[in-house]
Structure formats: structure tokens, C-alpha cells
Amino acid sequence: MEDWEQEVDSINWKTMLAEIDQALLDNLAAEIGFRSYENLENASGLVAEDYHICHLSDNRWAFWNPHTYTREDPLFFDEKDTVIDHIASMFGLEKEKVEQLRLGLEQVHQANHCQYCNYEFHPDSGNTEWDTNKYCSAECAMESVLHEMKEDFVE
């Protein structure tokens, strides 16, 4: 019994809670279609009060909040006007603010879909090491090339 108590006493609860929080954020990212929360953040724009929006490669819009994720699933919208109506209603936006929202959404870049791992990603136009329109990372680009080479070798 004392061994168990010592184990519990030695747990770093702050570290454990931070790991759980990070796992929840990565789960949110995976639910939206991204490899990691960092990738989701890079592809998203801040709307207001920790609510974010991202434009997915299939032309849908995802509206999400990392702080309410455990209680609210991310919302997906097929059309930009629908997401604008939802946000305007949620925050009680006047006509002038709705126009600002519309202009802000124009600044949100559409994500790409990695042809190797199938995750969404924000294309990095400054990186020329791999085809940033097809692959989310150099690793996926290399794995794709290796996979093609293996297929050619087997034939």
C-alpha cells in the first residue's frame, strides 16, 4: 500500500495535465483533418474570443475554439455565407462588422490536402525543398518518392 501512495505522491500533476491538454488539442486538430494542433493553428484565422476559422481543402469551413472543445465540437460549413451568418448571429454583429468579418475571411488561406498522409496543411510558399501543393512536409514528399521507387522495383 505504501508503494502505491509513494507513486501517487511522486506524480507531477502539472506535467500530466499539460500532456492531457496537448492531447486534447491534437485530437481537435485530427477531428478537423490536421496532423497536429500547431498545423491547425497555422492554417486558421482568429475570429474573436478564441474562436478560429479555417478553410479546408474540400472547400468547407471549420469553426472551432480550443477552450470549449471538450464541450463543443468544431462546426463545419459548406459555404462561406453560411459561416458568416452563423458568426454574425453568435456574436450579434451589426452590418458594418459583418463586412469586416467577410473581408477577414478573405485573408484565410485555403488549406491543401497532403497526397501522402491525407492530412490538411497550410501551404508554405517560401519553402522550395518539396512540392508544397502536394505534400505537407519533406518527410511525406520523401516517403512518397520511396513508395513509388519500391513499386517500380517490384514490377
Side-chain angles (χ1 to χ4, degrees), residues 94-136:
E94 303 276 334
K95 192 172 190 171
E96 181 180 303
K97 295 288 186 183
V98 171
E99 272 311 304
Q100 287 178 344
L101 173 62
R102 186 177 303 282
L103 293 172
L105 290 184
E106 294 295 328
Q107 304 304 311
V108 177
H109 296 288
Q110 187 170 10
N112 286 3
H113 187 83
C114 182
Q115 291 184 7
Y116 185 75
C117 70
N118 292 319
Y119 282 113
E120 298 282 315
F121 68 97
H122 182 271
D124 182 13
S125 59
N127 194 331
T128 58
E129 293 177 18
W130 68 89
D131 187 343
T132 58
N133 291 318
K134 287 183 174 182
Y135 305 108
C136 64

Side-chain angles (χ1 to χ4, degrees), residues 70-112:
T70 57
R71 299 181 312 275
E72 299 174 351
D73 288 333
L75 299 175
F76 296 91
F77 299 91
D78 291 327
E79 297 177 5
K80 184 170 36 173
D81 288 338
T82 309
V83 75
I84 288 171
D85 291 344
H86 176 79
I87 294 169
S89 173
M90 181 177 183
F91 292 105
L93 300 180
E94 303 276 334
K95 192 172 190 171
E96 181 180 303
K97 295 288 186 183
V98 171
E99 272 311 304
Q100 287 178 344
L101 173 62
R102 186 177 303 282
L103 293 172
L105 290 184
E106 294 295 328
Q107 304 304 311
V108 177
H109 296 288
Q110 187 170 10
N112 286 3

